[in-house]
C-alpha cells in the first residue's frame, strides 16, 4: 500500500487503504491523549486551509491536526466578493503554488472544486477535499467510520473493517456530501447502508447506489434495527424550495426524538456531523443521550485528519515509534 | 469571370462526374461540363480541380449559431465565426439573437446581416429575439425585423425559453403574418433552477444539480399543442432526450407543423463525461445518457428529427477554466458537424448522402425560408457546395473560432471537409480557409486571377 497523493473522494480509498488510515488515526488518538500532544512528523511542511465557505468547525479540526504534526498552517479564507467569479479558484491556487504549499485543504461551495484543483495543473501540492458543494466530504466519512469502529470494538479496533454493520443515514441525502462520502466508504468497509429521507430529498435516480432506501424512519428502525443512525443536518432554506412543507412536519416524521430513541438497540450509535439543529432533525433528549456520539465525532475528527495529513504529506505509509 | 471544373466529383455518393462552376452558378454537369470547359473562349481560364474520391453536398446551412457579435467579440466575431463555418463546410449560418445589444430590433439584425456581407465567408442570417431583451415579457418588433433588409424569418429567445404560455401562443400566431417560425429553447425554468447537468445516475453521484429530461419534454409537449391550436410553425431547438423524440414523433403523426433539430454533441457525447468535472462538457441542454444518444441518432435517420444544427457557442478560456458551477454553458460545433453527420448517417451504414444533404442543407434552408441556400446540385443552382473526403480520418480540431471550448479534442473523426464553395468562391480549399472573404476577393481579383492562370 502506498501513500495517497490526494484525498478527493471516499472512492479514492480501497478497503486496505481505508483501514490503514483508520489504524493510523488510532495511533494519533493516543497522541491526543498525551500531555504533550505533538509530533514532529510534518515539521517544515506548509498546510493551507483554503476555505471558500464558512465552516469554523472543519477548519479548526484541520488546523489542530496539522499543528499537532508540527506543520506550518496558513488559513486562507477566500469567501467574499473578490472570489465570486470562477476564475479565482485558479488564481488562488496558483498563488498558493507560488508560496510553496505542500498540502491544500479545500472547502468549496461547488461540487468538484477539489477534483478540479487536483487535476488542473495549477498546483503541485496534495489536495484534501474538506467538502465540495453537495458532492463529498471524505474525512467526515473516515471519522464516522472510526467512531463506529471504536464504539463496536474498543481497544481491539485496529485492522478491523465494518463488515455486517448496519448503518442508517437519515435526512437530506440529496444535498449531503456527508451522505455521499459515507455511502462510498461504508460500502468499501463492508457495512450495510440504509438511507432514510422524504422522497424529495433523495436523488431522482439513486439506482446506482448500493443502499436500501426507506421513506419511513419508524419502519426502518423497527425492521432494520441499525447499529448506527447518522442524522444529517437540514438546511432551512430547503423548506422554501418545497422539499418539505414545514419544520414541524419534518421533525415529526424524520426527526430523531425520544420515542425513536426508545426504539434503538441499547448500544446503537446516534451520530450527527454537527452543527445540530436541535428540535428539527434531532431532539435535545436524543442529542444528549448515551447513544449520542456527537462529541466523540469531534474529537475523532482531529485524529482522522492527522492520519490523512500524515499519509499524504509525510511520504510514509504507516506509523511506528511515535 | 471565374470558372472552375470540379473533375471526377461524386454528387451525393453517385458515380463520379464533372461540375463546371462559372461565377456564382453551377454552369454544367457531366460530359457537358468537360466539353464547355474545353471549348470555351481562350481568354478565359478554367481551373481544373481534381475531386476524385470527394463527395459533393450542397453547402451546409446552420440554423443555430452563436456568432457573439455585437457585444462578445472576445469569444467570436461574425468574421471568425463564419471562417469557422467555412472550415466546417457551411455556406450559411443563422446568427442567434443573444448578443449585446440583443438582436430584438431591425437595427441590430441589419447590423449583423451587413457584418456577414462584409466578411464574405457565408450568408449570415440573423435570428430575431422573440421578446424584448430576451426577457420573456413583451414581444419584440417581429414584423420590423421581418421587413428589414435582414428579412428575418426565424425568431428565438435561445439561451432562454419563452416559458410564458400566453406569450408563446401570441408569438406563434403573430409570425404567421410573414411566414415566420418560433425556434424554442425548451427549458422549463422552475424545473431547472441552478441546474448543472443531466439529472440521472451521474448527477446523483457527482452532487451536481440535475437538469431533468421532463423540463425539456413538458415544454415541447405544450408547444406542439399550441402550434396545433393556432395553426403555426414551431421549431424545436437542440432536442436532447429520447422522450422529446417521442413527443415530436407523435406531433408529426398528428399533422402538427413542427420541425426539430439535434446538435452534434447530443449525437455523440454523454453525461458520463461530467465525471471529469471538466467544464468543456458543460452545455445547455446538458449531455444526456447513451440511451438518449441512440434515440436521437435513430430519429435523425428516420426523419423524426429534421436537421442537425450546431449550437456553436464560443466562450473565452476563463469561462471554462474554473470549477463546474462557475463555468459557462456551451461548446463549439461548426467544425465538427459534418463529421458527426458522417458518423451517424454514412459510417454507420444506416443512411445516405441524400439524407446528409437534407439534414444539413435542404431542411434548415426550408425552415429558415432561404431561397438561395440548400438548392439541389443542378445546372443553374447557386454554387454553394461542400466537398467531403469520406475516406480520411482527422483530428477533431477547431482552427478558426476565437474560442477553444472544443469538447472533441483528442478524438479522431471521419468525413473531412476538403473544400467549401460559397457562391462560387472557395472559402476553404485543400483543407485551408481562404485568407479573405468572397466580396473583397471578387471584384479586385477578376483580372489578376485570369492573368495568373493563363
Ligand atoms: Zn439553446
Amino acid at each position: 500500500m502506498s501513500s495517497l497523493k490526494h484525498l478527493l473522494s471516499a472512492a479514492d480509498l480501497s478497503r486496505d487503504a481505508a483501514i490503514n488510515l483508520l489504524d493510523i488515526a488510532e495511533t494519533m488518538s493516543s497522541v491526543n491523549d498525551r500531555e504533550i500532544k505533538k509530533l514532529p512528523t510534518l515539521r517544515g511542511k506548509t498546510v493551507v486551509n483554503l476555505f471558500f465557505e464558512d465552516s469554523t468547525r472543519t477548519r479548526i479540526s484541520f488546523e489542530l491536526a496539522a499543528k499537532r504534526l508540527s506543520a506550518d498552517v496558513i488559513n486562507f479564507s477566500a469567501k467574499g466578493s473578490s472570489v465570486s467569479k470562477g476564475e479565482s479558484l485558479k488564481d488562488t491556487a496558483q498563488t498558493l503554488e507560488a508560496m510553496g504549499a505542500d498540502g491544500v485543504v479545500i472547502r468549496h461551495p461547488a461540487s468538484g472544486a477539489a477534483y478540479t484543483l487536483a487535476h488542473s495543473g495549477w498546483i503541485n501540492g496534495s489536495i484534501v477535499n474538506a467538502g465540495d458543494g453537495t458532492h463529498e466530504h471524505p474525512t467526515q466519512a473516515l471519522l464516522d467510520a472510526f467512531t463506529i469502529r471504536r464504539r463496536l470494538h474498543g481497544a481491539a479496533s485496529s485492522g478491523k473493517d465494518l463488515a455486517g454493520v448496519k448503518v442508517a443515514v437519515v435526512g437530506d441525502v440529496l444535498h449531503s456530501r456527508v451522505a455521499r462520502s459515507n455511502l462510498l466508504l461504508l460500502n468499501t468497509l463492508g457495512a450495510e447502508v440504509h438511507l432514510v429521507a422524504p422522497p424529495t430529498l433523495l436523488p431522482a435516480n439513486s439506482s446506482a447506489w448500493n443502499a436500501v432506501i426507506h421513506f419511513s424512519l419508524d419502519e426502518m428502525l423497527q425492521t432494520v434495527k441499525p447499529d448506527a443512525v447518522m442524522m444529517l443536518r437540514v438546511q432551512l432554506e430547503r423548506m422554501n424550495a418545497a422539499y418539505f412543507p414545514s419544520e414541524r412536519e419534518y421533525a415529526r416524521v424524520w426527526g430523531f426524538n425520544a420515542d425513536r430513541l426508545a426504539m434503538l438497540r441499547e448500544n446503537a450509535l446516534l451520530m450527527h456531523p454537527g452543527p445540530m439543529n436541535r428540535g428539527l432533525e434531532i431532539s435535545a433528549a436524543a442529542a444528549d443521550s448515551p447513544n449520542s456520539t456527537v462529541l466523540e465525532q469531534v474529537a475523532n475528527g482531529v485524529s482522522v485528519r492527522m492520519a490523512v495529513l500524515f499519509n499524504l504529506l509525510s511520504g510514509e505509509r504507516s506509523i511506528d515509534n511515535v | 469571370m471565374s470558372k472552375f471544373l470540379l473533375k471526377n466529383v461524386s454528387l451525393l455518393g453517385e458515380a463520379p462526374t464533372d461540375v463546371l462552376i462559372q461565377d456564382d452558378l453551377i454552369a454544367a454537369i457531366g460530359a457537358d461540363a468537360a466539353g464547355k470547359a474545353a471549348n470555351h473562349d481562350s481568354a478565359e481560364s478554367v481551373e481544373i480541380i481534381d475531386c476524385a474520391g470527394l463527395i459533393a453536398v450542397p453547402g451546409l446551412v446552420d440554423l443555430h449559431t452563436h456568432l457573439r457579435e455585437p457585444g462578445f467579440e472576445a469569444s467570436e466575431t461574425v468574421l471568425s465565426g463564419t471562417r469557422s463555418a467555412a472550415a466546417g463546410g457551411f455556406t450559411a449560418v443563422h446568427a442567434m439573437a443573444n448578443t449585446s445589444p440583443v438582436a430584438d430590433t431591425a437595427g441590430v439584425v441589419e447590423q449583423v446581416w451587413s457584418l456577414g456581407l462584409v466578411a464574405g465567408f457565408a450568408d449570415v442570417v440573423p435570428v430575431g429575439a422573440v421578446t424584448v431583451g430576451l426577457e420573456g415579457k413583451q414581444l419584440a418588433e417581429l414584423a420590423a425585423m421581418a421587413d428589414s433588409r435582414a428579412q428575418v424569418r426565424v425568431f428565438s429567445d435561445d439561451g432562454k425559453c419563452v416559458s410564458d404560455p400566453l406569450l408563446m401562443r401570441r408569438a406563434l400566431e403573430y409570425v404567421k403574418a410573414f411566414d415566420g417560425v418560433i425556434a424554442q429553447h425548451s427549458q422549463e425554468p422552475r424545473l431547472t433552477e441552478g441546474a448543472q447537468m443531466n439529472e440521472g445516475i451521474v448527477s446523483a453521484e457527482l452532487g451536481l444539480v440535475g437538469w431533468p429530461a421532463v423540463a425539456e419534454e413538458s415544454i415541447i409537449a405544450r408547444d406542439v399543442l399550441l402550434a396545433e391550436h393556432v395553426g403555426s410553425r414551431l421549431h424545436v431547438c437542440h432536442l436532447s432526450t429520447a422522450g422529446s423524440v417521442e413527443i415530436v414523433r407523435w406531433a408529426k403523426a398528428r399533422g402538427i407543423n413542427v420541425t426539430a433539430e439535434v446538435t452534434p454533441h447530443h449525437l455523440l457525447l454523454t453525461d458520463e463525461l461530467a465525471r471529469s468535472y471538466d467544464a468543456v462538457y458543460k452545455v445547455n441542454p446538458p449531455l444526456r445518457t447513451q440511451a438518449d444518444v441512440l434515440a436521437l441518432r435513430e430519429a435523425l435517420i428516420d426523419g423524426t428529427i429534421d436537421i442537425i444544427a450546431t449550437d456553436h457557442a464560443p466562450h473565452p478560456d476563463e469561462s471554462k477554466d474554473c470549477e463546474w458551477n462557475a463555468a459557462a454553458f456551451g461548446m463549439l460545433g461548426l467544425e465538427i458537424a459534418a463529421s458527426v453527420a458522417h458518423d451517424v448517417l454514412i459510417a454507420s451504414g444506416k443512411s445516405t448522402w441524400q439524407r446528409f444533404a437534407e439534414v444539413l442543407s435542404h431542411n434548415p434552408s426550408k425552415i429558415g425560408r432561404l431561397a438561395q441556400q440548400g438548392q439541389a446540385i443542378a445546372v443553374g443552382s447557386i454554387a454553394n457546395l461542400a466537398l467531403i473526403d469520406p475516406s480520411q480520418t482527422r483530428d477533431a480540431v477547431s482552427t478558426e473560432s476565437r474560442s477553444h471550448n472544443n469538447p472533441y479534442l483528442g478524438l479522431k473523426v471521419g468525413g473531412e471537409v476538403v473544400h467549401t464553395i460559397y457562391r462560387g468562391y472557395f472559402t476553404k480549399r485543400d483543407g485551408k480557409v481562404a485568407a479573405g472573404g468572397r466580396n473583397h476577393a471578387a471584384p479586385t481579383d477578376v483580372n489578376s486571377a485570369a492573368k495568373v492562370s493563363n
Side-chain angles (χ1 to χ4, degrees):
Chain A
M1 174 191 334
S2 58
S3 61
L4 299 159
K5 167 70 178 171
H6 307 295
L7 181 61
L8 308 175
S9 162
D12 295 345
L13 300 172
S14 66
R15 178 183 173 279
D16 287 352
I19 290 173
N20 181 49
L21 281 176
L22 297 178
D23 291 352
I24 297 173
E26 286 288 348
T27 310
M28 295 301 179
S29 173
S30 66
V31 173
N32 289 334
D33 293 337
R34 292 184 197 168
E35 192 138 346
I36 296 173
K37 303 175 172 61
K38 200 147 178 166
L39 293 174
T41 321
L42 297 184
R43 187 168 290 152
K45 304 267 188 185
T46 302
V47 174
V48 178
N49 285 323
L50 177 58
F51 276 54
F52 289 83
E53 197 178 70
D54 287 332
S55 176
T56 309
R57 290 163 165 254
T58 305
R59 183 181 56 72
I60 287 175
S61 182
F62 270 106
E63 184 173 353
L64 202 52
K67 284 182 171 166
R68 285 190 179 165
L69 295 169
S70 305
D72 296 323
V73 181
I74 298 167
N75 288 315
F76 193 117
S77 174
K79 190 170 179 277
S81 60
S82 66
V83 295
S84 60
K85 287 196 71 179
E87 202 196 352
S88 62
L89 178 60
K90 179 178 181 176
D91 292 338
T92 308
Q94 288 176 333
T95 302
L96 299 180
E97 176 68 9
M99 290 174 178
D102 299 290
V104 176
V105 176
I106 178 175
R107 162 67 66 101
H108 199 287
S111 298
Y115 186 97
T116 298
L117 193 59
H119 291 85
S120 59
W122 302 331
I123 196 164
N124 288 312
S126 290
I127 309 296
V128 180
N129 182 2
D132 62 324
T134 56
H135 179 223
E136 284 214 48
H137 193 359
T139 60
Q140 178 72 42
L142 280 166
L143 79 87
D144 289 337
F146 183 90
T147 303
I148 295 170
R149 197 173 78 156
R150 267 216 161 171
R151 276 257 180 148
L152 295 181
H153 300 293
S157 287
S158 275
K160 292 205 167 64
D161 63 13
L162 298 178
V165 177
K166 291 186 275 191
V167 182
V169 181
V170 183
D172 184 358
V173 173
L174 178 62
H175 300 99
S176 176
R177 50 197 172 207
V178 175
R180 280 178 183 73
S181 285
N182 263 299
L183 173 69
L184 291 165
L185 187 66
L186 290 168
N187 278 322
T188 299
L189 292 172
E192 178 183 310
V193 182
H194 296 263
L195 301 176
V196 187
T200 48
L201 290 174
L202 286 162
N205 188 333
S206 57
S207 62
W209 286 15
N210 184 17
V212 183
I213 308 276
H214 306 259
F215 299 144
S216 165
L217 179 53
D218 288 331
E219 172 268 336
M220 187 283 297
L221 288 170
Q222 283 158 359
T223 59
V224 176
K225 303 196 187 309
D227 300 292
V229 176
M230 210 175 273
M231 302 305 296
L232 299 173
R233 180 177 165 81
V234 173
Q235 311 270 328
L236 286 178
E237 66 260 28
R238 305 295 176 214
M239 196 174 81
N240 301 323
Y243 287 102
F244 55 89
S246 69
E247 286 178 55
R248 201 175 306 171
E249 174 152 312
Y250 185 92
R252 193 162 56 232
V253 184
W254 288 282
F256 212 94
N257 53 29
D259 291 343
R260 290 175 179 136
L261 191 61
M263 294 163 71
L264 272 189
R265 290 158 63 149
E266 189 187 340
N267 295 323
L269 289 75
L270 182 58
M271 310 177 76
H272 194 294
M276 294 181 283
N277 294 305
R278 285 174 185 254
L280 181 50
E281 73 266 5
I282 192 164
S283 72
D288 299 329
S289 72
N291 300 80
S292 169
T293 59
V294 174
L295 295 178
E296 284 163 60
Q297 288 170 273
V298 174
N300 293 341
V302 177
S303 304
V304 158
R305 287 166 181 136
M306 287 173 76
V308 168
L309 292 173
F310 172 86
N311 184 275
L312 265 57
L313 300 179
S314 76
E316 294 169 50
R317 59 192 173 84
S318 61
I319 187 161
D320 309 298
N321 311 321
V322 289
Chain B
M1 185 176 284
S2 70
K3 285 194 180 184
F4 300 96
L5 184 68
L6 308 179
K7 196 85 186 140
N8 289 320
V9 63
S10 165
L11 308 184
L12 300 176
E14 299 295 322
T17 185
D18 300 338
V19 175
L20 182 69
I21 294 169
Q22 184 168 335
D23 293 333
D24 60 350
L25 296 178
I26 295 175
I29 293 177
D32 194 29
K36 276 192 181 170
N39 292 337
H40 79 76
D41 185 338
S42 60
E44 292 175 278
S45 66
V46 175
E47 191 172 352
I48 295 174
I49 297 159
D50 177 14
C51 291
L54 301 186
I55 310 283
V57 297
L60 310 186
V61 176
D62 192 12
L63 201 66
H64 193 147
T65 317
H66 295 278
L67 292 179
R68 302 295 190 219
E69 189 177 4
F72 305 101
E73 291 83 356
S75 305
E76 199 79 285
T77 62
V78 170
L79 178 60
S80 67
T82 52
R83 287 179 60 87
S84 192
F90 288 89
T91 55
V93 294
H94 287 75
M96 273 299 172
N98 60 342
T99 49
S100 179
V102 170
D104 58 2
T105 62
V108 178
V109 294
E110 287 194 350
Q111 181 195 354
V112 172
W113 174 76
S114 63
L115 285 168
L117 271 188
V118 171
F121 279 90
D123 286 354
V124 171
V125 186
V127 173
V130 177
T131 65
V132 174
L134 308 174
E135 285 178 349
K137 294 187 178 131
Q138 182 190 348
L139 287 184
E141 292 191 351
L142 308 180
M145 291 187 271
D147 294 341
S148 74
R149 285 183 298 155
Q151 294 183 55
V152 175
R153 289 297 176 272
V154 182
F155 297 89
S156 182
D157 276 0
D158 183 61
K160 294 182 176 172
C161 180
V162 182
S163 61
D164 178 334
L166 181 69
L167 208 52
M168 185 62 181
R169 174 199 168 140
R170 297 288 185 242
L172 284 166
E173 285 177 306
Y174 194 76
V175 298
K176 287 199 289 183
F178 33 83
D179 195 22
V181 62
I182 304 296
Q184 175 73 294
H185 170 115
S186 311
Q187 175 179 6
E188 212 302 309
R190 283 281 283 157
L191 287 174
T192 51
E193 281 175 13
Q196 296 292 324
M197 67 171 296
N198 179 49
E199 182 167 273
I201 287 174
V202 182
S203 69
E205 187 175 317
L206 297 185
L208 290 171
V209 178
W211 198 131
V214 67
E216 174 172 309
E217 292 155 6
S218 58
I219 292 291
I220 296 176
R222 180 200 75 178
D223 286 351
V224 295
L225 293 171
L226 284 173
E228 177 178 47
H229 183 64
V230 302
S232 188
R233 282 208 288 151
L234 170 72
H235 176 72
V236 181
C237 293
H238 43 52
L239 182 152
S240 72
T241 76
S244 297
V245 168
E246 288 308 310
I247 294 164
V248 170
R249 190 171 281 142
W250 172 86
K252 285 187 165 185
R254 204 172 152 91
I256 297 171
N257 199 349
V258 58
T259 52
E261 78 187 30
V262 63
T263 67
H265 44 276
H266 290 116
L267 289 167
L268 198 68
L269 309 176
T270 71
D271 64 349
E272 291 290 330
L273 290 162
R275 292 184 188 279
S276 66
Y277 287 106
D278 184 339
V280 77
Y281 302 115
K282 181 172 174 178
V283 66
N284 190 19
L287 301 178
R288 304 289 187 182
T289 68
Q290 186 63 24
D292 293 304
V293 167
L294 293 176
L296 295 172
R297 292 170 83 105
E298 287 309 313
L300 185 71
I301 292 166
D302 74 22
T304 306
I305 293 175
D306 300 272
I307 68 169
I308 294 176
T310 67
D311 198 5
H312 179 82
H315 287 290
D317 292 350
E318 59 269 23
S319 295
K320 290 291 190 180
D321 204 5
C322 55
E323 64 272 26
W324 183 282
N325 279 32
F329 291 98
M331 43 182 64
L332 301 183
L334 285 168
E335 296 182 45
I336 198 74
S339 290
V340 173
H342 175 264
D343 181 54
V344 175
L345 301 173
I346 310 299
S348 67
K350 291 182 172 175
S351 192
T352 62
W353 286 103
Q354 181 58 43
R355 182 70 188 148
F356 183 108
E358 285 167 14
V359 303
L360 272 167
S361 184
H362 301 312
N363 292 346
S365 300
K366 279 183 207 156
I367 295 165
R369 300 295 193 245
L370 305 181
Q372 301 195 343
Q373 294 282 343
Q375 295 178 345
I377 305 177
V379 175
S381 289
I382 293 173
N384 288 319
L385 295 170
L387 290 116
I388 296 172
D389 183 349
S391 67
Q392 300 291 320
T393 58
R394 64 178 179 107
D395 294 320
V397 294
S398 174
T399 59
E400 303 300 325
S401 174
R402 276 200 179 180
S403 293
H404 309 103
N405 50 314
N406 174 4
Y408 308 101
L409 275 184
L411 295 183
K412 291 272 184 196
V413 292
E416 174 164 22
V417 176
V418 179
H419 311 295
T420 306
I421 302 171
Y422 165 54
R423 296 179 180 268
Y425 174 76
F426 277 84
T427 51
K428 184 184 196 185
R429 184 155 175 184
D430 295 322
K432 286 207 176 57
V433 174
R438 177 174 183 271
N439 300 321
H440 64 84
T444 53
D445 285 353
V446 170
N447 292 327
S448 59
K451 277 177 206 147
V452 170
S453 46
N454 272 336

